[in-house]
Amino acid sequence: MLCRLSVRWLQPRPALQLRGLGPPAAPAPTGGPKPSALPLWAVASVSAVGPSGAGGWYEALATSAPVQGAEDVLLFAHTASGLPWWGSILLTTVALRGAVTLPLAAYQHYILAKVENLQPEIKNIARHLNQEVAVRANQLGWSKRAARLTYLKTMRRLVSELYVRDNCHPFKATVLVWIQLPMWIFMSVALRNFSTGATHSEAGFSVQEQLATGGVLWFPDLTALDSTWILPVSIGVINLLIVEIFALQKIGMSRFQTYITYFVRAVSVLMIPIAATVPSSLVLYWLCSSLMGLAQNLLLRSPRFRQLCRIPLTKSDSDTPYKDLFAAFYAKFISRK
């Protein structure tokens, strides 16, 4: 199944028409077939898969309205800025991260800070409720199970009322994930379409041909794989750094949080070989997105920025967050014996 899904990812897309620019221009005649930027095993596997194969769900995603919208955003950024494609991808990533995910991340921290400030009140309510339930259980002869269920049901109601009172239900903190993850997927699929398809620009050149010469440094061809593995490894390192910053920020993590941290670490490492099998345009976008995520995490530690975003002060806040982070990182990874 994984092989067939990988095949569908690498399968060339049919010609895509740029919305509002009329039918695609006919390709210029060449002296011979253009060599594929994909490895031979991928080309052979793609030719063996029919259009009605097991990847129909991906075909629907690749031609969906959100992906087409992502393509339009990338094309607009490239046309309006006049930058080469590597610069256009970088500009689009920074703009989307700054305009969409950064405000949502600030809102997430705002909600989590209010929830953290409620913890002393919640603990106080829990202590008093536990005493009241114990008294009522003795008076009415409740079993331990009935007393426990009564305590849990009443506690859930009281905590929910606190969240409503302060307008800080923890579920609101997940809005960042529900926006950021789909956006990342749509942008990735759009760049995959560009790198393996035949979307035409106003000048009559396909976006794929523009990407083939739109790279920089050691990856001049954005439709090809990064044979040096510099981009894939960089993605893994940056993502692991983000995970470690989060882990260092949490003191006394629960067992569930510990499992989640190990899972995200594993995904970060797994992204390295995955990134080595997709066009460099996707890997460049993933790397830019990860770098913006790292910068976003560091920025949201700044007391001045948190004050600017009106994020409430909490007991865990520090006046020197970057110094504390460096000290914790040094103690965990460098000075330990």
Side-chain angles (χ1 to χ4, degrees), residues 59-78:
E59 295 296 330
L61 173 63
T63 57
S64 64
V67 172
Q68 292 176 359
E71 293 173 0
D72 287 341
V73 169
L74 287 164
L75 289 170
F76 174 79
H78 179 65

Side-chain angles (χ1 to χ4, degrees), residues 3-4 6-8 10-12 39-50:
C3 294
R4 302 193 70 176
S6 300
V7 165
R8 303 303 298 179
L10 296 171
Q11 185 177 357
L40 292 177
W41 64 265
V43 176
S45 300
V46 166
S47 63
V49 178

Side-chain angles (χ1 to χ4, degrees), residues 35-159:
S36 173
L38 301 176
L40 292 177
W41 64 265
V43 176
S45 300
V46 166
S47 63
V49 178
S52 59
W57 65 270
Y58 182 80
E59 295 296 330
L61 173 63
T63 57
S64 64
V67 172
Q68 292 176 359
E71 293 173 0
D72 287 341
V73 169
L74 287 164
L75 289 170
F76 174 79
H78 179 65
T79 303
S81 66
L83 294 171
W85 267 107
W86 70 266
S88 300
I89 294 173
L90 176 62
L91 174 65
T92 304
T93 307
V94 172
L96 289 176
R97 276 282 192 168
V100 180
T101 61
L102 180 57
L104 291 176
Y107 178 71
Q108 180 188 57
H109 280 249
Y110 172 81
I111 295 296
L112 293 177
K114 297 184 74 173
V115 171
E116 181 178 345
N117 288 336
L118 279 177
Q119 295 311 305
E121 187 174 356
I122 291 176
K123 290 180 180 178
N124 186 49
I125 291 175
R127 183 173 63 254
H128 286 85
L129 179 62
N130 190 39
Q131 295 173 356
E132 292 181 6
V133 170
V135 172
R136 295 290 293 176
N138 289 331
Q139 292 177 348
L140 302 177
W142 292 348
S143 64
K144 290 184 178 181
R145 181 176 181 275
R148 183 64 178 171
L149 291 176
T150 301
Y151 169 82
L152 293 176
K153 181 179 179 180
T154 306
M155 192 63 198
R156 281 195 298 266
R157 179 178 58 82
L158 294 175
V159 171

Side-chain angles (χ1 to χ4, degrees), residues 298-312:
L298 293 176
L299 180 61
L300 285 167
R301 282 175 164 262
S302 169
R304 290 186 178 181
F305 185 77
R306 292 175 70 87
Q307 184 179 7
L308 179 64
C309 297
R310 298 183 178 181
I311 300 174

Side-chain angles (χ1 to χ4, degrees), residues 101-241:
T101 61
L102 180 57
L104 291 176
Y107 178 71
Q108 180 188 57
H109 280 249
Y110 172 81
I111 295 296
L112 293 177
K114 297 184 74 173
V115 171
E116 181 178 345
N117 288 336
L118 279 177
Q119 295 311 305
E121 187 174 356
I122 291 176
K123 290 180 180 178
N124 186 49
I125 291 175
R127 183 173 63 254
H128 286 85
L129 179 62
N130 190 39
Q131 295 173 356
E132 292 181 6
V133 170
V135 172
R136 295 290 293 176
N138 289 331
Q139 292 177 348
L140 302 177
W142 292 348
S143 64
K144 290 184 178 181
R145 181 176 181 275
R148 183 64 178 171
L149 291 176
T150 301
Y151 169 82
L152 293 176
K153 181 179 179 180
T154 306
M155 192 63 198
R156 281 195 298 266
R157 179 178 58 82
L158 294 175
V159 171
S160 179
E161 290 175 356
L162 289 179
Y163 290 154
V164 172
R165 185 196 69 187
D166 288 6
N167 192 23
C168 62
H169 196 286
F171 184 78
K172 293 183 177 181
T174 66
V175 66
L176 174 63
V177 177
W178 302 118
I179 299 297
Q180 180 176 320
L181 183 58
M183 184 174 69
W184 184 86
I185 293 174
F186 297 148
M187 290 292 295
S188 298
V189 177
L191 285 168
R192 180 264 181 190
N193 287 348
F194 285 166
S195 299
T196 60
T199 301
H200 289 265
S201 68
E202 292 179 340
F205 297 99
S206 71
V207 177
Q208 183 183 22
E209 293 173 352
Q210 295 175 11
L211 287 172
T213 57
V216 68
L217 300 176
W218 68 90
F219 52 99
D221 185 358
L222 291 176
T223 66
L225 312 181
D226 181 10
S227 59
T228 67
W229 281 57
I230 295 177
L231 290 177
V233 171
S234 299
I235 290 176
V237 171
I238 296 299
N239 287 337
L240 284 174
L241 189 57

